[in-house]
Amino acid sequence: MNTSLILQNVLTPPVLFFFLGGLAVFLKSDLEIPSPLPKLFSLYLLLAIGFKGGLELHQSGFDGPVIPTILAAIIMSLLIPLICFFILRIKLNVFNSAAIAAAYGSISAVTFITAESFLYSQNIPFDGFMVAALAIMESPAIIVGLLLVKIAAPKERPAERVMKWREILHESMLNGSVYLLLGSLLIGFLTGAFNPSGVEKMQPFTGNLFYGVECFFLLDMGIVAAQRLPSLKKAGSFLIGFAVAMPLFNALIGVLVARALDLGPGNALLFVVLCASASYLAVPTAMRMTVPEAKSSYYISTTLGLTFPFNIVIGIPVYMGLVNRLIPATA
Amino acid sequence: MNTSLILQNVLTPPVLFFFLGGLAVFLKSDLEIPSPLPKLFSLYLLLAIGFKGGLELHQSGFDGPVIPTILAAIIMSLLIPLICFFILRIKLNVFNSAAIAAAYGSISAVTFITAESFLYSQNIPFDGFMVAALAIMESPAIIVGLLLVKIAAPKERPAERVMKWREILHESMLNGSVYLLLGSLLIGFLTGAFNPSGVEKMQPFTGNLFYGVECFFLLDMGIVAAQRLPSLKKAGSFLIGFAVAMPLFNALIGVLVARALDLGPGNALLFVVLCASASYLAVPTAMRMTVPEAKSSYYISTTLGLTFPFNIVIGIPVYMGLVNRLIPATA
Amino acid sequence: MNTSLILQNVLTPPVLFFFLGGLAVFLKSDLEIPSPLPKLFSLYLLLAIGFKGGLELHQSGFDGPVIPTILAAIIMSLLIPLICFFILRIKLNVFNSAAIAAAYGSISAVTFITAESFLYSQNIPFDGFMVAALAIMESPAIIVGLLLVKIAAPKERPAERVMKWREILHESMLNGSVYLLLGSLLIGFLTGAFNPSGVEKMQPFTGNLFYGVECFFLLDMGIVAAQRLPSLKKAGSFLIGFAVAMPLFNALIGVLVARALDLGPGNALLFVVLCASASYLAVPTAMRMTVPEAKSSYYISTTLGLTFPFNIVIGIPVYMGLVNRLIPATA
Amino acid sequence: MKRLDLIFSERELDEMLKCLEKAEVPGYTVMKHVTGRGPERVVSEDMEFTGLGANAHVIVFCQEEILERIKNSVQPILNYYGGVAYISEANPL
Amino acid sequence: MKRLDLIFSERELDEMLKCLEKAEVPGYTVMKHVTGRGPERVVSEDMEFTGLGANAHVIVFCQEEILERIKNSVQPILNYYGGVAYISEANPL
Amino acid sequence: MKRLDLIFSERELDEMLKCLEKAEVPGYTVMKHVTGRGPERVVSEDMEFTGLGANAHVIVFCQEEILERIKNSVQPILNYYGGVAYISEANPL
Ligand SMILES: Nc1ncnc2c1ncn2[C@@H]1O[C@H](COP(=O)(O)O)[C@@H](O)[C@H]1O
Ligand SMILES: Nc1ncnc2c1ncn2[C@@H]1O[C@H](COP(=O)(O)O)[C@@H](O)[C@H]1O
Ligand SMILES: Nc1ncnc2c1ncn2[C@@H]1O[C@H](COP(=O)(O)O)[C@@H](O)[C@H]1O
Ligand code: NA
Ligand code: NA
Ligand code: NA
């Protein structure tokens, strides 16, 4: 059954374009999407996800499963980095462990989108408020990561580099992509509440266009991910194993929490994907600034070179299978 | 009443995204829309405004208020720079005064668009031919500015820099943004006349997408405007006062002219906004080339750092209040 | 009759925007579409043409005229470079002749799109499988061009530059634009077959937006083409003549083949345009890498500076006239 | 041989290149989208979309005698519009 | 006069420019979107969208005495975050 | 120490970087999207979209002995495809 889900997932345009991009690198085609075009897509996707999420949050209100789900999401993004940290410390130093842990505690918006597309193509309903969970899971993981550095490695850093709370909060909340996502969420919410004609006029841009831009961006992500593979090989088998096993483990915790929250299968899948995915936007940027001792090739090649493709291609349908098995469809 | 209009204006997506951009700068978020993406939006908006304006000009024809309105617009864009020049000369030299005067005589297309969006959300009708007035007000103000330099400052310039008529016309008519706007207007007109199927096929691009791109661009404009504020402070309180008082004064003249022209409230608001707004595209570019003696930080920080946000956020609803008061709604 | 068709073609938005771009260069306007924005449009158009073509290929299947047309297209793209080569050898060396010949054997996707838009505005039906012919005609011409160099100029090259088959195939099949077009074609086909909901969700992006982006890109192409004209003058009257006469000649062969294939007038025009157009994307890139001895200004200024504008403005309606005359409308 | 670095506003690029061509330089290299601060102006990336543009950085490798010719035509432009020009030693690899 | 070339990650650009301003340089030129490889890191264009950014290349033409001041404030940044700084001779045209 | 400036078509960038790596340079910096004119070609920005690309400007700071190694492998590429390479003096800050 899972193989049929995997096949159904693979044969959608976003995943196919992702393959096309990756294949271009393996075949040494000179296909290239020059900078800053990927940034355009990335900004657009964050803006559009946020805006749509805010709209739907306004429609759904804060009743029912909304608050519990968001709280659970926050707890997951505090808990997962701690688990990851202790596993990573087996082989890596404090700086690298904390940076990678933060990335896995945080989320990947594009993985989330791809999961949404998957649910659409399977005709499984889900709720817009899940985007709020998405937006809110970025910061806590960064905070945990930086705290781990602050606590575990105070002596290894020169005096002027002792981390300040102000800096930690700044990096976790005001990171460009976190800020745009949260801001657009708020704007979507306000627009839904006060300016219904604005909602309609945004729809062709944030709504109709979305799927196509997603495909275009995944084409680029395929190229980027494939170019990270060589440095993943250098990173060694411990990190390679981590980049596949950790998402599966996090997904398992996620599905149990989703079950406890009584989420329907659509929302449950999205919740699981949030737990299983790892950040390659907000977290790496924050870590580069605040923990330059960590090797960026480690947290980039694991999240982007392996976990991201794994989730996009195999993870989502596997997690769906997990959800179907563990959560009764009547929820 | 005006405060309610201001609130209604502030709670639309374009203005909210403008705030989001400005706030990013104040909070020192690293949100950034890298060059040349803003240029993409700017080119798109000019092309789309022009095309739609040309279409509607074709539909409305040149009867009724069209020709008088356009003539009045030209007169305003000749008159306003003269008034500004004499006010600015109190404190500034000929070069700076002429450059700033030209900017305030010219128009800001994005302010115009935002006013259109405001009218939409208020369900107030307006006519497409106003775009023709927009397109036509850019050049005369540049010509006046350059003439002022030619007349008032011939001795302060080295001989080889004496301005030639050819150069003045070139800068005022063939400036990239003026040219694209006028050209697209003409293409829209021709398409409306000869190729109705083309009109329909352009609609998803120039029509449906417009509002979303406007929001995206205003996000960037918020960032850009906020980054100009420090240099505005350096420019001193005279220019700060000028950047707020002048639009209000120009708006007042504008509303009286609109009344004399017997324009309906929608068209009247657009006319007023054309008078009150100041150029940060065509005019600065032209001035940088032909009047390098003028300090670019002066004409940029006033128009972009203060007048633009003022018009977008407070100006438009205030001018609407003015129009409602001075122009009977039956017009 | 042809002049009326030319006029009808000229008065469509794509051609008008092309003129607007070209005129900007002649009038020395500073209108500019900075890099990499043209690349964005170019990637988008290839992706969208490919995807739509793949979809329609899935719908039409491989029956009827599909396979014969594609075979004929391949033969044309092998034959035309040979003819061109022998004509060009009259005046040019082996390297230049081979490079230009390859360009004329290959195709221009934007010319093809403009022809499609022309057919739309004339209400003449055509089939989606023609895009497959388009996609497939790029590579053979490159192969022939490189073979001509391999065969005709082995002694003029240093030993380490002897061309290998591997390299020839790589440049002809894995060139970025060929790869993206073929890949998107395949993805379109697979999506049509396995993911109908994906088709619908791609439509706003690949379908509705297409015409507008085409216009925007043609604005840039107008600028680029006009900037190539000076170097075309330097290239001399032989190449100028070639750049106009060759497309006409190739069109004539094309229309006869189309007649033999029993294509309807819409498909016939597209087939003729494939024969008559010359490549300025895939072929120049491939030639720059593999035949650096050829002067790039030759193959760029002919294809882009003259043949492209000629086809866009005059060629398409003239070929339509030819098709109307030589192919009975009942086909 | 000498290396000349010219930095000035993109808007004067065409004029500047004409000067270089007149001085018969063997070649030149142009980097656009450059920002910076000089004695008079701050040029920042976020203003590029207005058409004010950024700076251009032009590098010329040439013989010393060509520099004299360049100097005469380029200096007035730099004086009027702003920008800097520096020379250093450079030899072919 | 001297020419200073600084190459480091774009993310430290603001901090670096503040150092230069403090050392009272007469001006500077910035080229962003620069890639490269150093002893520790490979910086490639395809990662720019993530916000990790590319390198910046900063050029300063100034008197020798200013270099001393720059050195003291710039060196710790380069040591901590990576990047290189080289000086050469340069004279006004 | 020495500074090497290489300017050539972006399309040869990978090949060129491989040469540098083989010569064991301590690092390099790459600026893409560079235009210019040489004895043979004009490279302009508006053609970048075709995939012909622009030039790349590569800077290497290294010891003199590495230059010899670079020269042997880089020179043939420059001769065949075009491009220039110049050396100047440079010292760490
Ligand atoms: N001392 C300097 N070092 C490096 N670049 C400079 C220097 N002075 C000026 N520039 C560059 O030259 C440009 C124009 O300077 P300005 O003379 O202020 O118009 C500035 O934006 C900088 O990019
Ligand atoms: N020897 C070198 N020559 C030229 N550029 C260098 C050199 N070493 C480092 N760089 C540049 O400095 C950046 C930062 O280097 P790193 O010290 O590895 O962080 C690299 O990405 C290169 O762009
Ligand atoms: N004398 C020179 N000074 C500066 N850059 C040069 C010079 N000659 C050539 N170039 C650069 O090298 C590139 C390739 O030159 P070419 O040898 O014509 O292929 C040109 O596009 C310029 O960017
Ligand atoms: Na996670
Ligand atoms: Na005005
Ligand atoms: Na052809």
Side-chain angles (χ1 to χ4, degrees):
Chain A
M1 194 200 90
N2 270 4
T3 47
S4 129
L5 274 180
I6 291 177
L7 210 71
Q8 282 172 43
N9 180 46
V10 163
L11 289 170
T12 56
V15 180
L16 288 170
F17 276 107
F18 182 77
F19 276 121
L20 191 63
L23 197 65
V25 175
F26 289 114
L27 296 178
K28 296 188 199 306
S29 164
D30 65 350
L31 177 66
E32 157 185 64
I33 301 181
S35 165
L37 301 182
K39 181 89 181 184
L40 172 66
F41 302 139
S42 158
L43 289 170
Y44 164 83
L45 292 175
L46 291 170
L47 189 153
I49 305 171
F51 188 82
K52 290 192 294 179
L55 276 183
E56 299 186 41
L57 199 60
H58 171 254
Q59 272 160 23
S60 70
F62 292 96
D63 299 336
V66 179
I67 301 289
T69 307
I70 290 178
L71 284 179
I74 295 178
I75 292 169
M76 293 304 284
S77 69
L78 294 169
L79 190 73
I80 291 175
L82 288 176
I83 303 173
C84 293
F85 183 76
F86 289 106
I87 296 175
L88 288 160
R89 284 291 281 131
I90 299 170
K91 288 266 182 177
L92 302 176
N93 70 18
V94 171
F95 300 114
N96 286 318
S97 301
I100 302 175
Y104 279 82
S106 182
I107 52 81
S108 149
V110 178
T111 311
F112 183 84
I113 299 169
T114 315
E116 284 192 340
S117 301
F118 175 76
L119 289 173
Y120 268 122
S121 72
Q122 300 282 319
N123 284 314
I124 302 173
F126 56 90
D127 289 308
F129 69 78
M130 291 306 296
V131 173
L134 166 87
I136 260 157
M137 280 180 83
E138 299 239 48
S139 306
I142 297 178
I143 295 177
V144 172
L146 297 183
L147 280 183
L148 285 169
V149 171
K150 194 179 165 70
I151 296 165
K155 282 158 223 154
E156 300 173 38
R157 311 195 98 194
E160 77 269 27
R161 288 290 155 190
V162 171
M163 218 175 280
K164 292 167 208 92
W165 266 103
R166 220 178 141 274
E167 201 187 348
I168 292 179
L169 288 176
H170 187 274
E171 284 301 323
S172 62
M173 306 295 294
L174 291 173
N175 184 291
S177 50
V178 177
Y179 179 83
L180 181 57
L181 187 59
L182 284 172
S184 304
L185 190 85
L186 187 67
I187 292 179
F189 190 89
L190 292 172
T191 306
F194 300 107
N195 189 229
S197 79
V199 174
E200 218 173 289
K201 282 166 70 192
M202 286 297 272
Q203 173 60 19
F205 185 71
T206 48
N208 304 348
L209 222 57
F210 194 82
Y211 197 69
V213 178
E214 182 192 341
C215 290
F216 211 145
F217 188 56
L218 276 168
L219 176 66
D220 183 61
M221 292 297 286
I223 298 176
V224 173
Q227 276 171 342
R228 297 284 88 69
L229 281 188
S231 54
L232 186 65
K233 240 191 274 171
K234 267 189 227 153
S237 57
F238 175 71
L239 277 179
I240 295 180
F242 179 87
V244 173
M246 204 68 222
L248 284 170
F249 179 77
N250 292 341
L252 205 65
I253 315 184
V255 82
L256 296 175
V257 175
R259 187 188 173 148
L261 287 168
D262 218 14
L263 297 177
N267 291 346
L269 179 72
L270 295 180
F271 189 86
V272 170
V273 161
L274 290 179
C275 296
S277 67
S279 167
Y280 49 82
L281 283 182
V283 179
T285 328
M287 293 300 139
R288 172 72 184 76
M289 281 308 280
T290 47
V291 195
E293 296 94 337
K295 274 198 137 180
S296 59
S297 70
Y298 281 4
Y299 49 80
I300 290 291
S301 63
T302 44
T303 57
L304 207 49
L306 193 45
T307 301
F308 178 73
F310 173 77
N311 276 331
I312 292 281
V313 179
I314 303 169
I316 292 173
V318 165
Y319 307 152
M320 192 73 240
L322 218 61
V323 166
N324 286 338
R325 190 153 311 181
L326 294 180
I327 297 187
T330 56
Chain B
M1 193 200 88
N2 270 5
T3 45
S4 128
L5 273 181
I6 290 176
L7 210 70
Q8 282 172 42
N9 181 47
V10 163
L11 289 170
T12 55
V15 179
L16 288 169
F17 276 108
F18 182 77
F19 276 120
L20 192 64
L23 197 66
V25 175
F26 290 115
L27 296 177
K28 296 189 198 305
S29 164
D30 66 347
L31 178 66
E32 161 186 59
I33 301 179
S35 165
L37 301 182
K39 182 88 181 184
L40 172 66
F41 302 139
S42 157
L43 290 170
Y44 165 82
L45 291 175
L46 291 169
L47 187 154
I49 305 170
F51 188 81
K52 290 192 294 180
L55 277 183
E56 298 186 40
L57 199 62
H58 171 253
Q59 270 159 25
S60 70
F62 293 97
D63 299 337
V66 179
I67 300 289
T69 307
I70 289 177
L71 284 178
I74 295 178
I75 292 170
M76 291 305 282
S77 70
L78 295 168
L79 190 72
I80 290 175
L82 289 176
I83 304 174
C84 292
F85 183 74
F86 289 108
I87 295 174
L88 288 161
R89 283 292 282 131
I90 299 170
K91 289 266 183 178
L92 302 176
N93 70 18
V94 170
F95 300 114
N96 285 318
S97 301
I100 302 176
Y104 279 82
S106 183
I107 51 84
S108 148
V110 178
T111 312
F112 182 84
I113 298 168
T114 316
E116 283 191 341
S117 301
F118 175 76
L119 290 173
Y120 267 122
S121 72
Q122 300 281 319
N123 283 315
I124 302 172
F126 57 88
D127 288 309
F129 69 79
M130 291 306 296
V131 173
L134 166 87
I136 258 157
M137 279 180 82
E138 298 240 47
S139 307
I142 298 177
I143 296 177
V144 172
L146 297 183
L147 280 184
L148 285 169
V149 170
K150 192 179 166 72
I151 295 165
K155 281 159 223 152
E156 300 173 39
R157 312 195 98 193
E160 77 269 25
R161 288 291 156 189
V162 172
M163 216 173 282
K164 290 166 209 92
W165 267 103
R166 221 179 140 272
E167 202 186 347
I168 293 180
L169 288 176
H170 187 273
E171 284 300 322
S172 62
M173 306 295 296
L174 291 174
N175 184 292
S177 50
V178 177
Y179 178 83
L180 180 58
L181 187 59
L182 285 172
S184 304
L185 191 84
L186 187 66
I187 292 179
F189 190 89
L190 291 173
T191 306
F194 298 108
N195 189 230
S197 79
V199 174
E200 217 173 289
K201 280 166 71 192
M202 285 298 271
Q203 172 61 18
F205 185 71
T206 50
N208 304 348
L209 223 58
F210 193 82
Y211 196 70
V213 178
E214 182 191 342
C215 289
F216 211 145
F217 188 56
L218 276 168
L219 176 66
D220 184 62
M221 292 298 287
I223 299 175
V224 174
Q227 276 170 342
R228 298 284 88 69
L229 282 188
S231 54
L232 186 64
K233 242 193 270 171
K234 267 190 229 153
S237 58
F238 175 72
L239 276 180
I240 294 180
F242 179 87
V244 172
M246 205 66 222
L248 285 170
F249 178 78
N250 292 341
L252 205 66
I253 316 185
V255 82
L256 296 175
V257 175
R259 188 189 172 148
L261 286 169
D262 218 15
L263 297 177
N267 290 346
L269 178 73
L270 295 180
F271 190 85
V272 171
V273 162
L274 290 179
C275 296
S277 68
S279 166
Y280 50 82
L281 282 181
V283 178
T285 328
M287 293 300 140
R288 172 73 184 77
M289 281 310 280
T290 48
V291 195
E293 297 93 338
K295 274 197 136 180
S296 60
S297 70
Y298 281 5
Y299 51 80
I300 290 291
S301 63
T302 45
T303 56
L304 206 49
L306 195 44
T307 301
F308 178 73
F310 174 78
N311 277 331
I312 292 280
V313 179
I314 304 170
I316 291 171
V318 165
Y319 307 152
M320 191 75 240
L322 218 63
V323 165
N324 286 339
R325 191 153 310 180
L326 294 180
I327 296 188
T330 55
Chain C
M1 194 197 88
N2 271 5
T3 46
S4 129
L5 273 181
I6 290 176
L7 209 70
Q8 283 172 43
N9 180 46
V10 163
L11 290 170
T12 55
V15 179
L16 288 170
F17 276 106
F18 182 77
F19 275 120
L20 191 64
L23 197 65
V25 175
F26 290 115
L27 296 177
K28 295 188 202 303
S29 164
D30 65 350
L31 177 67
E32 158 185 63
I33 301 179
S35 165
L37 301 182
K39 181 88 182 185
L40 172 66
F41 303 139
S42 156
L43 289 170
Y44 165 82
L45 292 175
L46 290 170
L47 188 154
I49 305 171
F51 188 82
K52 291 192 294 181
L55 277 183
E56 298 186 41
L57 199 60
H58 170 253
Q59 271 159 24
S60 70
F62 293 97
D63 298 338
V66 179
I67 300 288
T69 307
I70 289 177
L71 284 179
I74 295 177
I75 292 170
M76 291 305 284
S77 70
L78 294 169
L79 190 72
I80 291 176
L82 288 176
I83 303 174
C84 292
F85 183 75
F86 288 107
I87 296 175
L88 288 160
R89 284 292 281 131
I90 299 171
K91 288 264 181 180
L92 302 176
N93 70 19
V94 170
F95 300 115
N96 286 318
S97 301
I100 303 177
Y104 279 82
S106 183
I107 51 84
S108 149
V110 179
T111 311
F112 182 84
I113 298 168
T114 315
E116 283 191 342
S117 301
F118 175 78
L119 290 173
Y120 268 123
S121 73
Q122 300 281 319
N123 284 314
I124 301 173
F126 57 89
D127 288 308
F129 69 77
M130 291 305 295
V131 172
L134 166 87
I136 260 158
M137 279 179 83
E138 299 240 47
S139 306
I142 298 178
I143 296 177
V144 171
L146 297 183
L147 280 183
L148 285 169
V149 171
K150 195 178 164 69
I151 295 165
K155 282 159 224 153
E156 299 173 39
R157 314 195 96 194
E160 78 268 27
R161 289 290 156 191
V162 171
M163 216 172 283
K164 290 167 208 92
W165 267 104
R166 221 178 142 272
E167 201 187 347
I168 292 180
L169 288 177
H170 187 274
E171 285 301 321
S172 62
M173 306 296 292
L174 291 173
N175 185 292
S177 49
V178 176
Y179 178 82
L180 181 57
L181 187 59
L182 284 173
S184 303
L185 190 85
L186 187 66
I187 292 179
F189 190 88
L190 291 173
T191 307
F194 299 107
N195 189 229
S197 80
V199 173
E200 219 173 287
K201 282 167 70 193
M202 285 298 272
Q203 172 60 18
F205 185 71
T206 49
N208 304 348
L209 223 58
F210 194 82
Y211 196 69
V213 178
E214 181 191 341
C215 289
F216 212 145
F217 188 57
L218 277 168
L219 176 67
D220 184 62
M221 292 298 286
I223 298 176
V224 174
Q227 276 171 342
R228 297 283 90 68
L229 280 188
S231 54
L232 186 65
K233 240 192 273 170
K234 266 189 227 156
S237 57
F238 175 71
L239 276 180
I240 295 179
F242 179 87
V244 173
M246 204 68 222
L248 285 170
F249 178 78
N250 292 340
L252 205 66
I253 316 184
V255 82
L256 295 175
V257 175
R259 187 189 172 147
L261 286 168
D262 216 14
L263 296 177
N267 291 345
L269 178 73
L270 294 180
F271 189 85
V272 170
V273 161
L274 289 179
C275 296
S277 68
S279 166
Y280 50 82
L281 283 181
V283 178
T285 328
M287 292 301 141
R288 171 75 183 76
M289 281 309 280
T290 46
V291 195
E293 297 93 336
K295 275 198 138 181
S296 59
S297 69
Y298 282 4
Y299 51 79
I300 291 291
S301 62
T302 44
T303 56
L304 207 48
L306 195 44
T307 301
F308 178 72
F310 173 77
N311 276 331
I312 292 281
V313 180
I314 303 170
I316 292 172
V318 165
Y319 307 152
M320 191 74 240
L322 217 64
V323 166
N324 286 339
R325 190 152 311 180
L326 293 181
I327 297 188
T330 55
Chain D
M1 280 181 80
K2 298 287 179 184
R3 169 198 174 119
L4 170 66
D5 283 278
L6 292 160
I7 302 167
F8 52 87
S9 170
E10 269 184 26
R11 300 208 53 101
E12 282 91 57
L13 183 57
D14 283 347
E15 203 175 338
M16 209 56 115
L17 294 184
K18 262 184 222 151
C19 290
L20 296 181
E21 292 294 5
K22 248 193 204 157
E24 286 173 0
V25 297
Y28 53 79
T29 292
V30 179
M31 277 165 273
K32 290 173 76 176
H33 314 292
V34 169
T35 56
R37 184 183 70 68
E40 299 185 27
R41 252 176 303 273
V42 181
V43 178
S44 69
E45 199 183 2
D46 66 326
M47 292 297 296
E48 268 202 79
F49 81 95
T50 60
L52 279 179
N55 290 327
H57 177 188
V58 174
I59 304 175
V60 182
F61 295 106
C62 64
Q63 302 295 338
E64 193 155 7
E65 48 271 26
I66 295 183
L67 285 183
E68 262 330 289
R69 273 179 272 157
I70 294 179
K71 191 175 173 167
N72 294 332
S73 56
V74 158
Q75 210 58 270
I77 304 182
L78 294 179
N79 289 345
Y80 195 67
Y81 288 110
V84 294
Y86 283 87
I87 309 170
S88 39
E89 288 294 321
N91 289 303
L93 177 72
Chain E
M1 282 182 77
K2 297 287 180 185
R3 168 199 175 118
L4 170 66
D5 284 277
L6 291 161
I7 303 167
F8 52 87
S9 170
E10 269 183 25
R11 301 207 55 100
E12 282 91 57
L13 183 56
D14 284 346
E15 203 176 336
M16 210 56 117
L17 294 183
K18 263 184 222 152
C19 290
L20 296 181
E21 292 293 5
K22 250 195 202 154
E24 288 174 358
V25 297
Y28 53 80
T29 292
V30 180
M31 278 165 272
K32 289 172 77 178
H33 313 292
V34 168
T35 55
R37 183 182 70 69
E40 297 185 27
R41 253 176 302 274
V42 181
V43 178
S44 69
E45 198 183 4
D46 67 325
M47 291 298 295
E48 267 202 80
F49 82 96
T50 60
L52 278 180
N55 291 328
H57 178 189
V58 174
I59 304 175
V60 182
F61 295 106
C62 65
Q63 302 295 338
E64 192 155 7
E65 48 270 27
I66 295 182
L67 285 182
E68 259 331 287
R69 273 179 272 157
I70 294 179
K71 190 175 173 168
N72 293 332
S73 56
V74 158
Q75 208 57 269
I77 304 181
L78 294 179
N79 289 344
Y80 195 68
Y81 288 109
V84 295
Y86 284 88
I87 309 170
S88 39
E89 290 292 322
N91 289 302
L93 178 71
Chain F
M1 280 180 80
K2 298 288 180 184
R3 169 199 173 117
L4 169 66
D5 284 277
L6 291 161
I7 304 167
F8 51 88
S9 171
E10 268 183 27
R11 300 207 56 100
E12 281 91 57
L13 183 56
D14 283 346
E15 202 175 339
M16 209 57 115
L17 294 183
K18 260 183 224 151
C19 290
L20 296 180
E21 292 295 6
K22 248 195 205 154
E24 286 174 0
V25 296
Y28 53 79
T29 292
V30 180
M31 280 166 271
K32 288 173 75 175
H33 312 292
V34 168
T35 56
R37 182 182 71 68
E40 296 185 27
R41 253 176 300 274
V42 181
V43 177
S44 69
E45 198 183 3
D46 67 326
M47 291 298 295
E48 267 201 79
F49 82 95
T50 59
L52 277 180
N55 291 327
H57 177 188
V58 174
I59 303 176
V60 181
F61 295 107
C62 65
Q63 302 296 339
E64 192 155 7
E65 48 270 28
I66 295 182
L67 286 182
E68 261 330 289
R69 272 179 272 156
I70 296 179
K71 190 174 173 169
N72 293 333
S73 56
V74 158
Q75 209 57 270
I77 303 182
L78 295 178
N79 289 346
Y80 194 68
Y81 287 110
V84 294
Y86 283 88
I87 309 169
S88 38
E89 289 293 321
N91 289 303
L93 177 73

